Amino acid sequence: MAEKKDGAALLTKKAKPRKSRDADCCSVNFLKCVLHIFNVVFLFAGIGVLAVGAWTVASRHRYVSLLPTPTYAAIAYLLILAGALGVPLAALGCCGLKTENRTSLLCYTYFLLISFILELGAGGLAYYYEVAVEPELRAELNNTFLGNYALDTTVTEAVDRMQAEFKCCGAVRPSDWRYSAWHEHDPRLLVPDSCCKTASSRCGVRDHPSNIHTHGCIRQFTNHIRDHLIILAAVGVGMSVIPIFGFLFSCVLYVKIKHVID
């Protein structure tokens, strides 16, 4: 009889007491309130990241065909994917908080981690590419101009748009056009019409400084891409901080729900 009492006492001693929902400063109710606020912040942050990614694709991708690697496009799509997770993830979080379902909270935690990785990856890649894009363009942009203009419709439209927008001519200098595949088809045209200060049909037969822009596009184009990459890097790295807080709070709540009583 004494042995049974000792065993029961030992089990009672080892068993962890279940706490009430408001037992301490980081109670279940407190964590649920914090995570509800976090969900609202995370939702709007996701919409912002999605908007930046979509803006990049919609208005800045007109020159992607001139870039030697798909890194710039990949950064934009990573941000779009990370931002698109905002709405379903916030809904999953609210559902898990309302029902206090630990499986939902676990899935919510994992997806917050994925969102963090996507945003940090996009920001880090943008930062890396911002440094690498200038030597890459110096090595390849002129070849793209001379080898693909008039042969590839997408490249042709991008080059014409660039020369008109940046008021430039050729990747390095206007005279480079004389060595292009495009020039061989019509040697009378010295530069594309988009090089002209006042664009008109076949205005490129004269390459005098009074008629055409005389500086190359590579410097302005490089600065244009680098400036936008800085924005993408700031958005990616900056927004990646937000999921960390949700991840930590949801982990704590996941553990605490198991040890509370109603």
Side-chain angles (χ1 to χ4, degrees):
M1 192 71 175
E3 291 180 356
K4 289 183 179 180
K5 288 182 178 179
D6 290 341
L10 185 61
L11 288 173
T12 304
K13 185 178 181 181
K14 288 185 176 179
K16 291 183 177 180
R18 295 172 68 82
K19 298 181 179 180
S20 69
R21 306 176 67 83
D22 296 303
D24 49 38
C25 61
C26 288
S27 63
V28 169
N29 287 341
F30 172 77
L31 290 170
K32 286 176 67 175
C33 180
V34 170
L35 280 171
H36 275 303
I37 296 172
F38 168 81
N39 270 334
V40 174
V41 174
F42 182 75
L43 176 62
F44 283 104
I47 292 172
V49 171
L50 178 62
V52 171
W55 168 62
T56 302
V57 170
S59 65
R60 302 293 173 175
H61 265 39
R62 55 185 181 267
Y63 299 131
V64 164
S65 58
L66 302 179
L67 296 171
T69 62
T71 308
Y72 183 76
I75 294 167
Y77 288 117
L78 280 175
L79 288 177
I80 289 175
L81 181 58
L85 284 174
V87 175
L89 195 50
L92 177 63
C94 288
C95 179
L97 292 172
K98 183 177 181 180
T99 61
E100 295 187 6
N101 184 290
R102 296 179 81 225
T103 302
S104 297
L105 283 174
L106 187 61
C107 293
Y108 176 68
T109 303
Y110 281 136
F111 278 111
L112 282 174
L113 182 60
I114 291 172
S115 176
F116 163 74
I117 292 171
L118 288 173
E119 291 175 351
L120 184 63
L125 193 58
Y127 176 77
Y128 162 78
Y129 194 52
E130 189 269 332
V131 176
V133 70
E134 184 170 357
E136 183 179 277
L137 287 175
R138 289 191 179 280
E140 298 293 338
L141 187 62
N142 198 37
N143 292 335
T144 303
F145 269 51
L146 303 185
N148 296 332
Y149 187 81
L151 303 178
D152 185 317
T153 303
T154 305
V155 171
T156 303
E157 291 176 354
V159 170
D160 284 337
R161 189 180 296 114
M162 179 190 295
Q163 293 188 143
E165 179 178 345
F166 296 145
K167 301 186 185 305
C168 56
C169 186
V172 180
R173 60 185 68 84
S175 59
D176 289 340
W177 283 114
R178 299 183 184 184
Y179 307 101
S180 66
W182 161 81
H183 180 67
E184 294 176 1
H185 287 80
D186 190 350
R188 291 173 297 177
L189 285 172
L190 301 179
V191 294
D193 294 340
S194 56
C195 284
C196 297
K197 294 180 178 178
T198 303
S200 60
S201 179
R202 300 185 67 79
C203 65
V205 294
R206 290 180 61 245
D207 61 354
H208 191 272
S210 63
N211 184 50
I212 67 168
H213 303 293
T214 56
H215 61 272
C217 299
I218 191 168
R219 180 177 295 277
Q220 288 172 280
F221 181 52
T222 299
N223 291 338
H224 171 81
I225 295 295
R226 290 184 67 179
D227 289 345
H228 193 63
L229 284 169
I230 291 172
I231 295 174
L232 297 181
V235 170
V237 175
M239 290 300 184
S240 70
V241 175
I242 295 176
I244 295 176
F245 292 100
F247 176 82
L248 294 175
F249 283 122
S250 61
C251 284
V252 175
L253 180 61
Y254 176 82
V255 173
K256 278 186 171 290
I257 283 178
K258 185 178 179 180
H259 303 292
V260 298
I261 56 177
D262 294 328

Short mmCIF file of all heavy atoms in Angstrom, two decimals, residues 201-228:
data_model
loop_
_atom_site.label_atom_id
_atom_site.label_comp_id
_atom_site.label_asym_id
_atom_site.label_seq_id
_atom_site.Cartn_x
_atom_site.Cartn_y
_atom_site.Cartn_z
N SER A 201 11.43 58.27 -90.39
CA SER A 201 11.81 57.14 -91.24
C SER A 201 13.12 57.42 -91.96
O SER A 201 13.29 58.46 -92.61
CB SER A 201 10.69 56.86 -92.25
OG SER A 201 11.04 55.79 -93.09
N ARG A 202 14.08 56.52 -91.80
CA ARG A 202 15.38 56.55 -92.46
C ARG A 202 16.20 57.80 -92.11
O ARG A 202 17.07 58.23 -92.86
CB ARG A 202 15.23 56.43 -93.98
CG ARG A 202 14.55 55.13 -94.41
CD ARG A 202 14.53 54.98 -95.93
NE ARG A 202 15.89 54.81 -96.44
CZ ARG A 202 16.57 53.66 -96.42
NH1 ARG A 202 16.04 52.57 -95.88
NH2 ARG A 202 17.80 53.59 -96.94
N CYS A 203 15.93 58.36 -90.94
CA CYS A 203 16.74 59.51 -90.51
C CYS A 203 18.15 59.07 -90.15
O CYS A 203 19.06 59.91 -90.03
CB CYS A 203 16.08 60.22 -89.33
SG CYS A 203 15.99 59.21 -87.83
N GLY A 204 18.36 57.75 -89.98
CA GLY A 204 19.67 57.26 -89.61
C GLY A 204 20.69 57.22 -90.72
O GLY A 204 21.80 56.71 -90.53
N VAL A 205 20.36 57.77 -91.91
CA VAL A 205 21.35 57.81 -93.00
C VAL A 205 22.44 58.83 -92.69
O VAL A 205 23.53 58.77 -93.29
CB VAL A 205 20.67 58.14 -94.35
CG1 VAL A 205 19.73 57.03 -94.77
CG2 VAL A 205 19.93 59.49 -94.28
N ARG A 206 22.19 59.74 -91.75
CA ARG A 206 23.19 60.71 -91.34
C ARG A 206 23.54 60.48 -89.88
O ARG A 206 22.67 60.45 -89.03
CB ARG A 206 22.66 62.15 -91.50
CG ARG A 206 22.49 62.60 -92.93
CD ARG A 206 21.97 64.03 -92.99
NE ARG A 206 22.89 64.99 -92.37
CZ ARG A 206 22.60 65.69 -91.27
NH1 ARG A 206 21.44 65.56 -90.67
NH2 ARG A 206 23.50 66.55 -90.78
N ASP A 207 24.84 60.30 -89.61
CA ASP A 207 25.27 60.10 -88.23
C ASP A 207 26.03 61.31 -87.69
O ASP A 207 26.86 61.19 -86.80
CB ASP A 207 26.11 58.84 -88.10
CG ASP A 207 27.39 58.91 -88.93
OD1 ASP A 207 27.55 59.88 -89.70
OD2 ASP A 207 28.22 57.99 -88.81
N HIS A 208 25.71 62.49 -88.23
CA HIS A 208 26.33 63.72 -87.76
C HIS A 208 25.78 64.05 -86.37
O HIS A 208 24.59 63.80 -86.08
CB HIS A 208 26.05 64.87 -88.73
CG HIS A 208 26.86 66.09 -88.45
ND1 HIS A 208 26.46 67.08 -87.58
CD2 HIS A 208 28.07 66.48 -88.93
CE1 HIS A 208 27.37 68.02 -87.52
NE2 HIS A 208 28.37 67.69 -88.34
N PRO A 209 26.60 64.60 -85.48
CA PRO A 209 26.14 64.96 -84.12
C PRO A 209 24.92 65.86 -84.10
O PRO A 209 24.19 65.87 -83.10
CB PRO A 209 27.35 65.65 -83.52
CG PRO A 209 28.52 65.07 -84.23
CD PRO A 209 28.05 64.83 -85.64
N SER A 210 24.69 66.61 -85.15
CA SER A 210 23.51 67.47 -85.18
C SER A 210 22.23 66.66 -85.40
O SER A 210 21.13 67.15 -85.14
CB SER A 210 23.64 68.51 -86.29
OG SER A 210 23.71 67.89 -87.57
N ASN A 211 22.39 65.41 -85.85
CA ASN A 211 21.23 64.59 -86.20
C ASN A 211 20.96 63.48 -85.19
O ASN A 211 19.81 63.10 -84.97
CB ASN A 211 21.43 63.98 -87.59
CG ASN A 211 20.21 63.20 -88.05
OD1 ASN A 211 19.09 63.70 -88.00
ND2 ASN A 211 20.42 61.97 -88.49
N ILE A 212 22.03 62.96 -84.57
CA ILE A 212 21.86 61.80 -83.69
C ILE A 212 22.47 62.06 -82.31
O ILE A 212 23.26 62.99 -82.12
CB ILE A 212 22.52 60.54 -84.28
CG1 ILE A 212 24.04 60.70 -84.32
CG2 ILE A 212 21.96 60.20 -85.65
CD1 ILE A 212 24.80 59.43 -84.61
N HIS A 213 22.08 61.24 -81.36
CA HIS A 213 22.71 61.27 -80.03
C HIS A 213 24.08 60.63 -80.14
O HIS A 213 24.25 59.60 -80.79
CB HIS A 213 21.84 60.52 -79.02
CG HIS A 213 20.44 61.06 -78.92
ND1 HIS A 213 20.16 62.31 -78.41
CD2 HIS A 213 19.25 60.52 -79.29
CE1 HIS A 213 18.85 62.52 -78.44
NE2 HIS A 213 18.27 61.45 -78.97
N THR A 214 25.05 61.22 -79.50
CA THR A 214 26.44 60.80 -79.74
C THR A 214 27.05 59.93 -78.65
O THR A 214 28.16 59.43 -78.82
CB THR A 214 27.32 62.05 -79.91
OG1 THR A 214 27.19 62.89 -78.76
CG2 THR A 214 26.92 62.83 -81.16
N HIS A 215 26.38 59.74 -77.53
CA HIS A 215 26.97 58.90 -76.49
C HIS A 215 26.27 57.54 -76.44
O HIS A 215 25.09 57.41 -76.80
CB HIS A 215 26.90 59.59 -75.12
CG HIS A 215 25.50 59.89 -74.67
ND1 HIS A 215 24.85 61.05 -74.99
CD2 HIS A 215 24.63 59.17 -73.93
CE1 HIS A 215 23.64 61.05 -74.47
NE2 HIS A 215 23.48 59.90 -73.82
N GLY A 216 26.99 56.53 -75.99
CA GLY A 216 26.45 55.18 -75.92
C GLY A 216 25.47 55.00 -74.76
O GLY A 216 25.39 55.84 -73.86
N CYS A 217 24.77 53.86 -74.78
CA CYS A 217 23.71 53.61 -73.81
C CYS A 217 24.17 52.86 -72.56
O CYS A 217 23.44 52.81 -71.57
CB CYS A 217 22.59 52.79 -74.46
SG CYS A 217 21.80 53.59 -75.88
N ILE A 218 25.36 52.28 -72.60
CA ILE A 218 25.72 51.32 -71.56
C ILE A 218 25.77 51.93 -70.17
O ILE A 218 25.31 51.31 -69.20
CB ILE A 218 27.07 50.63 -71.92
CG1 ILE A 218 27.30 49.44 -70.99
CG2 ILE A 218 28.24 51.60 -71.89
CD1 ILE A 218 28.42 48.55 -71.45
N ARG A 219 26.29 53.13 -70.04
CA ARG A 219 26.41 53.73 -68.70
C ARG A 219 25.03 54.05 -68.12
O ARG A 219 24.76 53.72 -66.96
CB ARG A 219 27.27 55.00 -68.77
CG ARG A 219 27.43 55.68 -67.41
CD ARG A 219 28.35 56.88 -67.52
NE ARG A 219 29.70 56.47 -67.85
CZ ARG A 219 30.59 56.04 -66.96
NH1 ARG A 219 30.25 55.95 -65.68
NH2 ARG A 219 31.80 55.70 -67.34
N GLN A 220 24.18 54.68 -68.92
CA GLN A 220 22.85 55.03 -68.42
C GLN A 220 22.02 53.79 -68.14
O GLN A 220 21.29 53.73 -67.14
CB GLN A 220 22.13 55.92 -69.44
CG GLN A 220 22.70 57.34 -69.52
CD GLN A 220 22.09 58.11 -70.66
OE1 GLN A 220 22.47 57.96 -71.81
NE2 GLN A 220 21.11 58.95 -70.34
N PHE A 221 22.13 52.79 -69.00
CA PHE A 221 21.39 51.56 -68.79
C PHE A 221 21.86 50.84 -67.53
O PHE A 221 21.06 50.34 -66.73
CB PHE A 221 21.54 50.65 -70.01
CG PHE A 221 20.77 49.36 -69.91
CD1 PHE A 221 19.43 49.34 -69.58
CD2 PHE A 221 21.41 48.14 -70.13
CE1 PHE A 221 18.72 48.15 -69.48
CE2 PHE A 221 20.72 46.94 -70.05
CZ PHE A 221 19.37 46.94 -69.71
N THR A 222 23.16 50.81 -67.33
CA THR A 222 23.72 50.18 -66.13
C THR A 222 23.24 50.89 -64.87
O THR A 222 22.83 50.24 -63.89
CB THR A 222 25.26 50.20 -66.18
OG1 THR A 222 25.71 49.48 -67.32
CG2 THR A 222 25.85 49.57 -64.93
N ASN A 223 23.27 52.21 -64.87
CA ASN A 223 22.79 52.97 -63.72
C ASN A 223 21.30 52.74 -63.48
O ASN A 223 20.84 52.65 -62.32
CB ASN A 223 23.06 54.45 -63.91
CG ASN A 223 24.54 54.79 -63.87
OD1 ASN A 223 25.34 54.04 -63.30
ND2 ASN A 223 24.93 55.90 -64.47
N HIS A 224 20.55 52.65 -64.56
CA HIS A 224 19.11 52.39 -64.47
C HIS A 224 18.84 51.05 -63.79
O HIS A 224 18.01 50.96 -62.86
CB HIS A 224 18.51 52.40 -65.88
CG HIS A 224 17.10 51.95 -65.95
ND1 HIS A 224 16.03 52.76 -65.65
CD2 HIS A 224 16.55 50.75 -66.30
CE1 HIS A 224 14.91 52.10 -65.80
NE2 HIS A 224 15.19 50.87 -66.20
N ILE A 225 19.52 50.01 -64.21
CA ILE A 225 19.34 48.68 -63.63
C ILE A 225 19.83 48.65 -62.18
O ILE A 225 19.17 48.10 -61.29
CB ILE A 225 20.07 47.62 -64.47
CG1 ILE A 225 19.46 47.51 -65.87
CG2 ILE A 225 20.05 46.26 -63.78
CD1 ILE A 225 18.04 47.02 -65.88
N ARG A 226 20.98 49.25 -61.92
CA ARG A 226 21.53 49.22 -60.56
C ARG A 226 20.64 49.97 -59.57
O ARG A 226 20.44 49.51 -58.44
CB ARG A 226 22.93 49.82 -60.56
CG ARG A 226 23.97 48.96 -61.26
CD ARG A 226 25.37 49.54 -61.15
NE ARG A 226 25.83 49.50 -59.77
CZ ARG A 226 27.03 49.93 -59.38
NH1 ARG A 226 27.86 50.46 -60.27
NH2 ARG A 226 27.39 49.86 -58.12
N ASP A 227 20.10 51.11 -59.98
CA ASP A 227 19.21 51.86 -59.10
C ASP A 227 17.98 51.02 -58.72
O ASP A 227 17.55 51.03 -57.56
CB ASP A 227 18.76 53.16 -59.77
CG ASP A 227 19.88 54.18 -59.87
OD1 ASP A 227 20.90 54.00 -59.18
OD2 ASP A 227 19.74 55.14 -60.64
N HIS A 228 17.44 50.32 -59.70
CA HIS A 228 16.25 49.51 -59.41
C HIS A 228 16.61 48.29 -58.57
O HIS A 228 15.82 47.86 -57.72
CB HIS A 228 15.57 49.08 -60.70
CG HIS A 228 14.20 48.53 -60.48
ND1 HIS A 228 13.17 49.27 -59.95
CD2 HIS A 228 13.69 47.28 -60.67
CE1 HIS A 228 12.09 48.52 -59.85
NE2 HIS A 228 12.38 47.30 -60.28
#
